């Protein structure tokens, strides 16, 4: 369904986005209702009417695409003030997402209107949310879970998500906070390696736990061992394991770039660390995988063979 959009910003970032915006128009994905700018010389630009920010109240639109990476936060705040808060943040899109390989506006809106809850055992989930300009719809952000614990968690995800998060380690300047979830005497540990205290970690975890969309769960994990990839393939959810080698496991996809760059690994422990770092650089992921199709559970996510 075609979405009505305003483009906020007429500067250099808009010039870079122009062809991408026109392409989405040609595909029938969007209809640009107007350009928005505080300081503008023209009343019409590229065939679009140019309006002042205060005029957006009188316009019918579905989304605002912000065409300014430098002033994105300021524009988002201005839009929220003008529109009176509410759900306006959900209507604001960072135009930078149009540069992501494989971007399609209709596919992207599916991820916004039916939020995907990405369950991961490291920082990959949070990185994906940031990169795609999506609200965190998962409590597993900025944390780490050991491989065996993660498989236990996602095999009984709903049951674990009903359990209280309890402290095992409060955290200080030398060590991160650690929390536990226990189901049927099986305790899993969550390492909140970006939090200063357990209370801080728990507050964020509980707020995001309430956002889980049980109708759109996606399990994502990196795998540097064949046994892990094979066990991951048995999970009862839509999923993908991103692997260091071609393990032949279902729902796994190997990164050829990693195999090429790190062909002389010394041991499994070093490989796991290297691969984790490699997968947390989104350029390494998107040059081989269409992340939109991956999160939507579609076929043909590989960009190369």
């Amino acid at each position: 369904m075609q979405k009505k959009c305003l483009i906020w910003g007429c500067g250099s970032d808009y010039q870079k986005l122009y062809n991408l915006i026109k392409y989405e128009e040609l595909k029938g994905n969007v209809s640009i209702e107007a350009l928005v700018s505080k300081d503008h010389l023209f009343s019409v630009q590229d065939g679009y009417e140019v309006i002042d920010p205060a005029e957006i109240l009188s316009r019918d639109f579905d989304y605002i695409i912000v065409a300014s990476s430098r002033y994105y936060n300021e524009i988002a705040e201005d839009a929220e003030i003008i529109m009176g808060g509410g759900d306006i943040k959900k209507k604001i899109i960072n135009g930078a997402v149009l540069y992501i390989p494989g971007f399609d506006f209709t596919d992207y809106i599916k991820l916004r209107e039916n939020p995907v809850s990405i369950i991961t055992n490291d920082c990959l989930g949070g990185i994906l949310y940031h990169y795609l300009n999506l609200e965190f719809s998962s409590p597993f952000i900025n944390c780490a879970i050991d491989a065996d614990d993660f498989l236990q968690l996602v095999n009984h995800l709903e049951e674990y998500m009903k359990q209280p998060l309890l402290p095992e380690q409060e955290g200080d300047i030398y060590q991160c906070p650690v929390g536990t979830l226990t189901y049927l005497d099986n305790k899993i540990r969550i390492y909140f390696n970006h939090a200063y205290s357990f209370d801080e970690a728990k507050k964020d975890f509980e707020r995001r736990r309430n956002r889980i969309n049980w109708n759109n769960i996606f399990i994502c994990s990196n795998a540097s061992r064949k046994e892990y990839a094979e066990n991951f393939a048995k999970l009862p959810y839509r999923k993908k394991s991103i692997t260091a080698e071609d393990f032949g496991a279902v729902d796994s996809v190997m990164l050829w770039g990693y195999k090429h760059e790190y062909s002389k690994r010394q041991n499994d422990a070093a490989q796991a660390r290297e691969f984790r770092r490699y997968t947390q650089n989104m350029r390494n992921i998107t040059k081989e995988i269409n992340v939109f199709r991956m999160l939507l559970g579609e076929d043909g996510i590989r960009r190369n063979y």
Side-chain angles (χ1 to χ4, degrees):
M1 182 183 218
Q2 190 179 71
K3 299 296 183 181
K4 298 178 180 179
C5 296
L6 302 176
I7 308 295
W8 192 321
C10 296
S12 59
D13 282 354
Y14 165 75
Q15 303 302 328
K16 296 174 185 176
L17 285 172
Y18 175 72
N19 285 346
L20 299 175
I21 292 168
K22 294 301 291 184
Y23 181 49
E24 293 300 324
E25 276 191 307
L26 288 170
K27 289 191 290 184
N29 289 341
V30 300
S31 167
I32 306 304
E33 303 302 301
L35 304 182
V36 182
S37 177
K38 288 182 178 180
D39 303 304
H40 53 87
L41 297 174
F42 311 106
S43 58
V44 176
Q45 184 170 342
D46 296 322
Y48 306 128
E49 181 183 3
V50 184
I51 64 175
D52 293 318
E55 295 181 64
I56 66 176
L57 286 169
S58 62
R59 300 298 171 129
D60 178 26
F61 67 92
D62 298 301
Y63 291 96
I64 295 174
I65 300 174
V66 178
S68 174
S69 56
R70 182 177 180 181
Y71 298 108
Y72 172 78
N73 290 329
E74 292 178 29
I75 290 172
E77 290 175 6
D78 287 347
E80 189 175 3
I81 292 170
I82 292 170
M83 299 298 293
D87 290 333
I88 186 61
K89 285 184 178 179
K90 295 182 179 180
K91 292 178 173 288
I92 300 174
I93 296 173
N94 189 333
V97 299
L98 275 74
Y99 295 119
I100 299 174
F103 179 87
D104 177 85
F105 197 86
T106 297
D107 284 348
Y108 182 66
I109 292 306
K110 290 177 184 177
L111 296 174
R112 292 183 72 101
E113 296 186 350
N114 182 26
V116 58
S117 290
I118 306 171
I119 312 298
T120 59
N121 65 331
D122 58 18
C123 294
L124 180 58
I127 293 169
L128 275 166
Y129 280 120
H130 273 302
Y131 190 67
L132 298 176
N133 188 219
L134 298 174
E135 182 182 52
F136 293 150
S137 298
S138 166
F140 298 98
I141 305 295
N142 293 332
C143 63
I145 304 172
D146 291 339
D148 290 341
D149 278 0
F150 185 67
L151 289 175
Q152 172 69 20
L153 167 71
V154 290
N155 266 300
H156 306 279
L157 185 60
E158 292 193 53
E159 289 81 2
Y160 274 106
M161 287 297 92
K162 295 174 183 176
Q163 309 308 316
L165 179 68
L166 301 177
E168 182 172 282
Q169 181 172 286
E170 288 294 340
D172 53 36
I173 60 173
Y174 301 106
Q175 52 192 2
C176 71
V178 179
T180 64
L181 296 171
T182 303
Y183 172 68
L184 296 180
D185 295 327
N186 291 309
K187 179 191 292 186
I188 67 164
R189 291 174 175 82
I190 305 174
Y191 298 85
F192 296 100
N193 43 22
H194 293 275
Y196 292 103
S197 69
F198 176 77
D199 287 343
E200 176 195 356
K202 183 175 181 178
K203 183 179 179 181
D204 290 339
F205 187 89
E206 297 298 346
R207 183 177 71 255
R208 294 163 183 163
R209 189 203 307 238
N210 293 328
R211 297 180 189 163
I212 293 177
N213 180 3
W214 291 104
N215 295 317
N216 195 7
I217 299 290
F218 184 82
I219 312 292
C220 190
S221 179
N222 61 63
S224 56
R225 293 182 292 113
K226 182 176 181 179
E227 181 184 7
Y228 180 89
E230 291 174 343
N231 288 329
F232 185 91
K234 301 173 185 177
L235 296 176
Y237 288 101
R238 190 160 47 84
K239 59 194 177 294
K240 273 291 180 290
S241 64
I242 300 173
T243 65
E245 299 181 38
D246 185 4
F247 298 130
V250 176
D251 289 324
S252 68
V253 55
M254 185 189 80
L255 296 184
W256 290 96
Y258 175 80
K259 190 173 180 65
H260 173 70
E261 293 180 31
Y262 295 93
S263 59
K264 297 181 180 179
R265 295 181 292 275
Q266 295 180 349
N267 55 62
D268 289 342
Q271 175 184 339
R273 287 194 299 270
E274 289 174 354
F275 188 59
R276 190 177 301 113
R277 286 195 293 266
Y278 188 86
T279 57
Q280 290 177 7
N281 183 333
M282 288 307 302
R283 292 180 183 176
N284 295 331
I285 301 288
T286 57
K287 70 184 179 184
E288 300 197 42
I289 296 173
N290 183 315
V291 292
F292 303 102
R293 289 181 181 173
M294 180 180 77
L295 293 176
L296 289 169
E298 297 178 355
D299 296 327
I301 71 167
R302 285 211 66 100
R303 297 187 61 205
N304 47 37
Y305 292 89

